[in-house]
Amino acid sequence: MSLTSFGIQSSWTDGAARRVGPPCYNSRMLPPETVLDLRRVFLLRDFSEAELQELAQGMDLETFAPGQEVYRRGRIATAIHLILSGRVEIQPAAAASTSTRLGSAGEGDVLGEFELVTNQTRLANAVASEPTRAIRWERKPLSAAMKAHPVLLERLRFNTEMHRLRSRLNLDWLGEEEELCALARKHIVLMYDAMILPGLLLLAATGLTWWALNGGPGIAGWAAGLFGVLGLASAVWQRIDWGNDYYIVTDRRIVRLEKIVGLYDNRQEAPLQMVLSVNTSSGLFGRMYGYGDVTVRSYTGQIVFPNVANMREMAALIEEQIRRMLRRRRQLEQETIAEALRQRLVTHPGEVPPSATPPAPPPVDPNESQIGLDRWSFQVRFEEQGVITYRKHWAVLIRAIALPSLALLAAAAVIGAALGGLLSGLPVDSLLTFGLPIVIGLGLWWLYQYLDWANDLYQITPTHIVDIYRKPLGREVRKIAPLDNILGTSIDRKGIIGILLNFGSVTAEVGTAQFDFEGVFDPVGAQQDIARAIDRLLERRSQAERQRRQEEMVEWLTTYHDQVAAPPPDGRPADKRDHEYP
C-alpha cells in the first residue's frame, strides 16, 4: 500500500474528469473473475466470496490506458477506487507537471478515502502510468456496505488518520522511490491517561483559589498560582510528548520515531527483508479501547510499536508489505526468465543469443583504505570517490580543545600584559624564558586534541562501513563490516544540546556486534547514507543474480537446441527416426 492509499494525494475518476482520455469499460454487473480479483485488495482481504459477491453489486469496473487522467484536482470526491492491477502516479497540479511525482498506487491499494470521508475536493491529479484496472465504489453503496460491515468503516478511518498525521510530519528522509504504507501513533486514550496528574493539579489550583477568595490565608493564593502553572505546563508537555512518537511502515522498512522533548530523540529501523515475525499483544484496557503493542522481530532483536491504535491493522499492513516485497522479487525473476526465452526464440538457429551487459560494479580505488584520511579541515561530512566520511560534531571538538584553548589565552594574556608593562613585578626575560615553552606546550596540547578529533572517522563505502579510531602518534584501530551484513540501524540524540545542535550516535547492528558512529552531525542523514548504500548494493547484487540466471537459461536452451537439431548418427531425419518402431 502506497502513500496514496491514505488519501494524501489519492483517489481516481470524479465528475467530468472521468470522461477524459480514451473511453473506459463500465459495468454495474462485475464479471465473476473480477469479483474474485477483489481479494487482492487489502481493504477486503478477509471477506468471504459470498460477501464479495454482495459488495460487488454496488461497484463499477473501469480501465485506464497509460497516460490517461483518472482524476483531477479540485473535483468533488464521490467515490473511492480499489486498484486491481496496474499503477497510477499522483501528480501535484496540471499536466505540465507530469515529471513531478507525489506518490503512486498499485495492485491492492485503496484510493481517495480521505477526501471522501472528510468531504473534501480531490487534492492532486492522478495519471495511469501503465494499463490499469480499478473498481469504482460510489459513496451511497459504500455507506451501505460500511453499515453492514463496520470493519470497513474502521479501516477507512484508520487510513484517514494516516493522512492527517502525514500532513503534519516531515519525512524528508524517505528515499526517492520509497512509498509510505502505514503511519500511526499511540492511541488517544494514552494521552487522556497522561492528563490525569495535570488535571489533579489544576483541580487543586481551583480549590485553593476559591479558598483564597473566601478569606483563606495568603499562602493559599500563592499555592493556587504554583499549582496552576505546574498543571498547565505539565498538560502541555504531556500533549507534546504523546504526539512525538510515530510508527511508520514503508515498502522498504519499518521505523519507530521516539522523542522526549528536550531530552531524547531516537529512531529505530529495520529493512523489511530482515523481518522474521510480527506479533500483537494487548491488556484489558487495550482490548476495551482498541489499542495494543505490535512487536516486529528481526535478526537483531525486535522493534516494538507500543500502544498503537488499531494494532491488528498495523500488523496486517506490515505482513502485507513483506508479501508484496517477496512477490516483486518473484516477478523480477520471472521477467528475467521470460526475457531469456524471448532472446533465444528470436535468435538464429545455432547462434547463441546475446546476453545483457551485467551491471558495472562501483569503481574500486586501489588506495580506497586511504580515502578521506588526509583531510585536515573542520568538515564533519565529505564525500570523495564514492566514499562518505563522517567526523564527530564540532561540539565534541570544542569540548576537547576548551581547556587548552583557555590555557593558551591565559598564557598569551599574561605575556602580553608583561610586555606591555602592566605586570611590573614579572621580569620580561624570565617570563619569555619560561613562558614561551609553556605556550608551545599548550599549543602542542591543542594540536593533539584537534588531531585526535580529526582522526576518528566513520566511513560508508560502496560495499562496507568503516570505523577508524586512531590516536596521534599512537595506535590505530580499524573496524570493517560488509554492508549486506547490516541487519538494522538506530539513531540516538540525547540531551537538549544534542537535539539543538543536531548530533548524536548511529548504531548499525552487524550480527551480534555493533558499529557505533558516535557524536556525528545529523545522525538521521548518516543513517540515510547507510540505508542508501545498502539499497544500492542489494540492487547491484540482485541485478547480477538475475543476469546470472538469465545466462544459465540461455545456456540450457542453447544446449537443448544443439541436442535436438543435431543430425542422428544413422543419417536419417530426427523426426522419422523418432517415430519408427522395430
Side-chain angles (χ1 to χ4, degrees):
M1 191 170 294
S2 68
L3 176 67
T4 56
S5 62
F6 309 139
I8 299 173
Q9 302 97 5
S10 61
S11 69
W12 273 195
T13 313
D14 292 295
R18 182 177 178 181
R19 301 304 176 193
V20 175
C24 60
Y25 173 76
N26 242 337
S27 174
R28 262 305 191 192
M29 184 63 67
L30 296 182
E33 62 274 12
T34 303
V35 175
L36 295 179
D37 287 344
L38 289 174
R39 292 178 174 176
R40 302 179 189 174
V41 180
F42 186 68
L43 180 71
L44 306 175
R45 62 188 180 276
D46 49 9
F47 279 67
S48 66
E49 184 175 348
E51 291 171 330
L52 292 177
Q53 291 283 357
E54 177 188 355
L55 296 176
Q57 297 177 12
M59 298 178 178
D60 293 333
L61 174 63
E62 297 181 339
T63 59
F64 302 95
Q68 183 179 356
E69 185 181 82
V70 289
Y71 88 87
R72 182 176 299 174
R73 180 180 179 181
R75 299 289 181 180
I76 298 175
T78 61
I80 66 172
H81 278 72
L82 317 177
I83 304 301
L84 301 182
S85 64
R87 181 156 293 276
V88 174
E89 299 293 333
I90 310 303
Q91 300 169 358
S97 303
T98 53
S99 60
T100 304
R101 175 181 177 275
L102 296 178
S104 67
E107 178 182 322
D109 288 345
V110 183
L111 306 164
E113 67 274 32
F114 175 75
E115 294 97 334
L116 190 71
V117 171
T118 58
N119 291 315
Q120 294 190 37
T121 57
R122 299 304 188 188
L123 302 177
N125 296 336
V127 177
S129 59
E130 57 188 65
T132 300
R133 296 168 61 243
I135 294 294
R136 179 183 177 85
W137 207 350
E138 295 283 352
R139 180 191 298 271
K140 186 174 180 180
L142 176 60
S143 299
M146 289 189 293
K147 290 180 181 178
H149 305 279
V151 67
L152 286 175
L153 178 60
E154 181 182 356
R155 291 173 180 174
L156 290 177
R157 283 178 174 170
F158 182 69
N159 288 357
T160 301
E161 180 62 18
M162 290 188 215
H163 164 70
R164 296 184 192 277
L165 296 178
R166 176 64 181 90
S167 63
R168 303 170 186 170
L169 190 61
N170 181 18
L171 299 178
D172 54 359
W173 45 265
L174 287 176
E176 282 188 21
E177 299 297 325
E178 189 172 6
E179 301 285 356
L180 179 64
C181 305
L183 176 60
R185 60 184 177 188
K186 294 178 182 178
H187 196 282
I188 195 170
V189 73
L190 273 297
M191 186 187 72
Y192 297 146
D193 180 67
M195 291 296 178
I196 292 177
L197 179 58
L200 293 175
L201 290 173
L202 291 174
L203 184 62
T206 303
L208 290 170
T209 301
W210 180 86
W211 186 23
L213 294 176
N214 286 273
I219 194 174
W222 288 100
L226 177 62
F227 280 27
V229 170
L230 290 176
L232 287 174
S234 178
V236 171
W237 191 89
Q238 292 289 357
R239 172 60 182 84
I240 295 175
D241 184 60
W242 171 82
N244 274 338
D245 296 346
Y246 291 92
Y247 315 125
I248 301 169
V249 181
T250 75
D251 60 348
R252 300 180 187 176
R253 50 186 160 168
I254 59 170
V255 182
R256 176 182 174 183
L257 301 180
E258 184 180 13
K259 182 186 295 185
I260 299 177
V261 180
L263 298 176
Y264 186 75
D265 188 359
N266 181 44
R267 188 175 91 193
Q268 288 180 283
E269 67 174 55
L272 282 177
Q273 62 263 28
M274 299 299 179
V275 174
L276 298 174
S277 65
V278 183
N279 304 314
T280 61
S281 61
S282 61
L284 175 61
F285 288 103
R287 291 191 295 273
M288 290 173 58
Y289 292 103
Y291 69 88
D293 298 344
V294 176
T295 303
V296 181
R297 290 186 58 247
S298 67
Y299 287 104
T300 57
Q302 61 186 26
I303 296 179
V304 181
F305 293 175
N307 302 315
V308 63
N310 205 332
M311 61 176 178
R312 292 186 180 85
E313 190 72 8
M314 176 62 77
L317 280 165
I318 297 173
E319 293 172 344
E320 174 68 10
Q321 290 309 309
I322 295 174
R323 284 192 293 268
R324 292 189 183 189
M325 177 192 66
L326 297 175
R327 192 183 310 138
R328 286 193 297 269
R329 289 182 178 177
R330 289 194 297 268
Q331 289 174 350
L332 286 174
E333 292 179 358
Q334 293 170 358
E335 290 172 2
T336 299
I337 295 174
E339 179 62 24
L341 287 171
R342 281 194 297 269
Q343 290 184 3
R344 187 63 187 91
L345 291 174
V346 300
T347 302
H348 208 279
E351 179 184 346
V352 178
S355 59
T357 303
V364 179
D365 192 288
N367 298 317
E368 182 179 294
S369 62
Q370 299 301 314
I371 293 177
L373 302 186
D374 56 350
R375 293 217 181 186
W376 302 107
S377 66
F378 290 92
Q379 285 180 281
V380 293
R381 181 193 184 278
F382 48 90
E383 188 170 353
E384 183 179 359
Q385 301 181 38
V387 177
I388 302 173
T389 302
Y390 278 90
R391 285 196 179 105
K392 293 181 179 179
H393 194 271
W394 301 294
V396 179
L397 173 62
I398 292 172
R399 184 173 56 194
I401 65 174
L403 189 56
S405 297
L406 291 174
L408 268 174
L409 290 175
V414 170
I415 293 174
L419 292 176
L422 298 178
L423 298 176
S424 57
L426 289 177
V428 175
D429 294 341
S430 300
L431 186 63
L432 292 177
T433 301
F434 295 102
L436 285 178
I438 292 175
V439 169
I440 293 173
L442 291 175
L444 292 175
W445 182 20
W446 189 99
L447 181 62
Y448 179 90
Q449 295 296 339
Y450 167 75
L451 292 176
D452 189 37
W453 170 82
N455 279 336
D456 290 346
L457 301 174
Y458 311 114
Q459 294 187 321
I460 305 166
T461 78
T463 56
H464 293 79
I465 58 171
V466 184
D467 183 357
I468 302 173
Y469 176 79
R470 181 171 57 181
K471 281 289 184 182
L473 305 176
R475 185 181 180 188
E476 176 180 320
V477 178
R478 183 187 296 258
K479 295 169 58 180
I480 303 176
L483 286 173
D484 51 349
N485 285 355
I486 296 177
L487 305 177
T489 59
S490 62
I491 66 170
D492 189 7
R493 286 183 294 194
K494 293 182 178 178
I496 188 66
I497 301 299
I499 294 173
L500 289 177
L501 299 181
N502 191 20
F503 75 96
S505 299
V506 179
T507 300
E509 302 286 347
V510 183
T512 58
Q514 287 186 343
F515 272 62
D516 294 317
F517 289 10
E518 297 178 350
V520 297
F521 172 73
D522 188 17
V524 173
Q527 186 185 45
Q528 288 310 106
D529 284 336
I530 295 174
R532 282 190 290 268
I534 293 174
D535 287 343
R536 287 192 291 265
L537 176 64
L538 294 179
E539 180 60 25
R540 290 195 302 269
R541 293 195 172 176
S542 177
Q543 291 182 17
E545 176 64 19
R546 291 197 298 270
Q547 177 66 24
R548 184 189 64 80
R549 291 173 61 88
Q550 182 174 348
E551 291 176 350
E552 286 182 354
M553 178 62 67
V554 168
E555 291 176 2
W556 294 341
L557 290 172
T558 302
T559 303
Y560 173 77
H561 176 270
D562 293 342
Q563 292 294 324
V564 172
D570 55 9
R572 289 176 298 167
D575 56 349
K576 290 187 177 181
R577 182 189 60 141
D578 292 341
H579 293 287
E580 287 182 357
Y581 296 92

